[in-house]
Structure formats: structure tokens, C-alpha cells
Amino acid sequence: MNAETTTQPHLSRWLVLLLAVVVGASVANIYYAQPLLHDIGQDVHVADSTAGLLVTGSQLGYALGLALLVPLGDLLERRRLVVVLMVLTGLASLGVAVVPSFPLILAAVVVVGLSASVAQIIVPLAASLAADDERGSVVGTVMSGLLIGILVARTIGGFLAELGGWRIVFAAAAVLMFVLATVLRFVLPPVPAAEQQMGYGTLLRSVGSLVREEPVLRQRMVLGAVGMTCFTALWTALSFLLSGPHYGYGPATIGLFGLAGLAGAAMAPIAGRLADRGYAWLVVPSAFVLLVASWVLLGFGATSLVALLAGIVVLDLAQQGLQINHQSAIYKLRPEARSRLTTAFVVSIFLGGSASSAITSALYAADGWGAVTVFGGVVAV
């Protein structure tokens, strides 16, 4: 047992769960608008295609946050940084709820995406607070919160909008962020900066240095991008399939399919515990075998609901197993640079997901679900 393990106590279970809730609530902010685009467009008198820019804006803001804000987790006292960004997310969400015009809504959504990158500061923060022999499990639990936030945000957004209109969704999101920021301010211990003597410009440039100097990081960036390509391909094309002639489901029913992906949230802590116990070498190849198998099932899902649901569950299990293993591996490289390692890794998977979204949409338009499943299977192989 090394010095860090002997001097650093284990995190309490309730604090780990609180961090998981905070991560999920933070990342959910960039997905609330997706099922509400038509309602927002009608309210502020813009076309659906124009309202769709809100999704682009939130993703652009999030990408900027990953590149420009997440590295600050190595430079600043992290409890204060997290609380400030959560309050900013709440204020921006409140702005979305009250501003009258589309340009102002779009600007506020960009800020929401920017500050919601705080989720990717909390993950390495949790890793730093954890003892060595529990780090994988802690990261897995916190990442399960992130996955749940992504998957249920659309369902929650649609439900609240039906009750009180689309603006109430963002008002509720703002209140939630303010409450969680207050709770964290009082229960999370101060987390000192890992780098005391580095300027901001040097900090950003050092992300590239880490990529050049750490072959394990480069490997996990590529593998992470592969997994996210498959994950995004599924969730991009799924709504096209489910709304098509064979299934003919409406938006509310399609939104419920996100709940099938929650099985992946159960895999995250398990993968983390396996990493803690030295079985990482087994998780990665097994998860990639499952990833390939999921596309076989999804291929039959064009006409079989059972095969489709099974494929969704297997793919999400595989993706979460891979994701946790990758992050456990990179956090062992440079303890003082975990936020910057997170920036490099998450930017790579974000790029993989963005490219996959564009490719998948084009493939589905050209040759339907079959082309998408072939693409996903080839990427996994």
C-alpha cells in the first residue's frame, strides 16, 4: 500500500453519491432542450431548423468549457471553482427561462453548455479525494451519475414541459443547480490546487504536452473515441428508426427508450471495482466483444423490438465498462494533472461523438438502419 492510500481516508458513501447526483444534474443541462425545440420555436416565432441551433449552441459551449475551463481544476482550489461554475450554470438556465427572444435564449444556452463542463471537473476531483484502493469504484459511481443525467434529461424535460411549458424546465434546472451548489459549499472539503506555480496559458499548453508524453493517454483517447462513436451512432439513428414506418412511435414513447440505457449505469461501479482489483486487462477486451455483439443484435432490431432493446442494453453496458476503465487508467498517470488528462480524454471522445453524429445521419438518409448497424459494427471491430 503506498503513501497516498495510507494517509488518505476512504470517502463516505453518501458523499460519493452526492457527487454522482451533482455530475448528473450538471451534464443534464445540455440535454434538456432537445425534446423542447419545437415548443421553443413556436413560442419565440422561429422555424424548427432555427430552434435546432440550440443543440449546436449547447454542444459548442460544452466543448469550449472542456478546452478552457476543465484544466483549471489543476490550477485553482476546486471546491470554489465547482461552486462558482454551478452557480453560473443556474444563472444561465434562469436566463433561458426568462429572456424573450431567440438570440438571447441561444446566448444563454451557450453559457449553460460552457459552465456545465463543471461535470468533468468533478470526476477528477472525486478521483483525487478517493484512496487508491477505491478510486476505480468512486469514479465508476460518479460516472454512473453522469450517464443517468444524460439519459433521463430528455424524459424529465418533456415531462415538466407538459406540466407547465418549456420555460419551467430551465427554471427548475436553475433551482436545482443553486441548491446543489449550496450543499456542496458546506459539505465538500476544500481541495487544494494540484499545480501552484503555473500560468493559465502554460496550463492549457501542457495538455498537448501530456498527450505527447503519455502513450497510455493517447491509446485511451483513441479507444474512448471508438466507444463514443458507437454510442452516438446508436442514439442518433434510434429516433429515426422508432419514428419510421415499422415502429411508428411518437416522441414520448421514443424518449422512454433512454431508460433502457440505464443498464449501463449499473455497469459503471462494477467496472470501477474490477479496475481497483487489478482486472482492467479483462474488462477492455470483454467490453469490445460485447460492443461488437450489440451491433449484431441491433441489426435484427430493425424489425424486432426484443433484439433492439437487448442491443441497446448490451451496447450501453460495454460503453460504460470501457469508459470507466479508460478513466481509471489515465488517472494513474499524473495525479497532479488529472483535470488536464480529463480534458484531453473527453475532447477526444467528444470529437468522436460529433463525427459519428454527422456520419450516422448521412448513412441513415442514404440507406437506413442497416447502413448504420454496419458502420457501428465495423468501428467496433
Side-chain angles (χ1 to χ4, degrees), residues 282-366:
L282 180 62
V283 173
V284 173
S286 300
F288 271 113
V289 169
L290 287 176
L291 200 61
V292 174
S294 72
W295 285 108
V296 176
L297 290 167
L298 290 168
F300 291 106
T303 55
S304 169
L305 181 60
V306 172
L308 184 64
L309 289 171
I312 292 172
V313 169
V314 172
L315 188 145
D316 279 357
L317 285 172
Q319 168 63 1
Q320 286 309 301
L322 289 168
Q323 183 91 341
I324 301 310
N325 192 277
H326 297 329
Q327 293 192 262
S328 296
I330 66 172
Y331 288 155
K332 294 176 182 177
L333 300 175
R334 304 272 188 102
E336 78 284 0
R338 285 181 176 135
S339 288
R340 283 166 288 162
L341 292 168
T342 299
T343 292
F345 177 75
V346 178
V347 166
S348 71
I349 67 173
F350 185 87
L351 292 174
S354 299
S356 177
S357 178
I359 293 169
T360 300
S361 298
L363 285 174
Y364 197 94

Side-chain angles (χ1 to χ4, degrees), residues 132-284:
D132 277 357
D133 62 347
E134 66 170 355
R135 184 163 294 119
S137 177
V138 168
V139 170
T141 300
V142 174
M143 285 297 295
S144 70
L146 185 143
L147 174 66
I148 291 170
I150 292 172
L151 292 174
V152 306
R154 301 170 184 86
T155 305
I156 292 174
F159 176 75
L160 288 177
E162 291 218 1
L163 290 179
W166 70 267
R167 291 184 185 272
I168 198 174
V169 177
F170 294 95
V175 171
L176 179 60
M177 295 307 292
F178 293 145
V179 170
L180 290 175
T182 302
V183 172
L184 272 191
R185 172 62 182 81
F186 289 104
V187 305
L188 190 67
V191 187
E195 292 282 3
Q196 302 285 349
Q197 307 295 328
M198 185 179 289
Y200 180 60
T202 303
L203 183 81
L204 295 183
R205 289 192 296 272
S206 69
V207 175
S209 299
L210 288 170
V211 175
R212 289 192 301 271
E213 295 167 6
E214 296 291 350
V216 171
L217 174 60
R218 294 195 299 272
Q219 178 199 57
R220 298 310 179 116
M221 287 170 66
V222 172
L223 294 178
V226 167
M228 185 55 68
T229 297
C230 290
F231 182 84
T232 305
L234 167 65
W235 291 104
T236 298
L238 186 63
S239 61
F240 300 144
L241 174 69
L242 294 176
S243 61
H246 181 76
Y247 289 103
Y249 295 149
T253 304
I254 293 172
L256 293 176
F257 275 74
L259 301 180
L262 293 179
M267 180 61 182
I270 296 171
R273 286 194 291 272
L274 289 172
D276 288 335
R277 295 171 186 173
Y279 292 105
W281 61 271
L282 180 62
V283 173
V284 173

Side-chain angles (χ1 to χ4, degrees), residues 29-33 37 40 51-62 89 92-93 95-97 99 102-116 166 170:
N29 286 286
I30 64 175
Y31 294 97
Y32 287 132
L37 297 177
I40 295 173
L53 292 174
L54 295 176
V55 175
T56 304
S58 65
Q59 295 290 335
L60 176 61
Y62 191 66
T89 307
S93 295
V96 176
V99 295
F102 181 78
L104 291 175
I105 292 172
L106 179 59
V109 162
V110 172
V111 178
V112 168
L114 180 78
S115 54
W166 70 267
F170 294 95

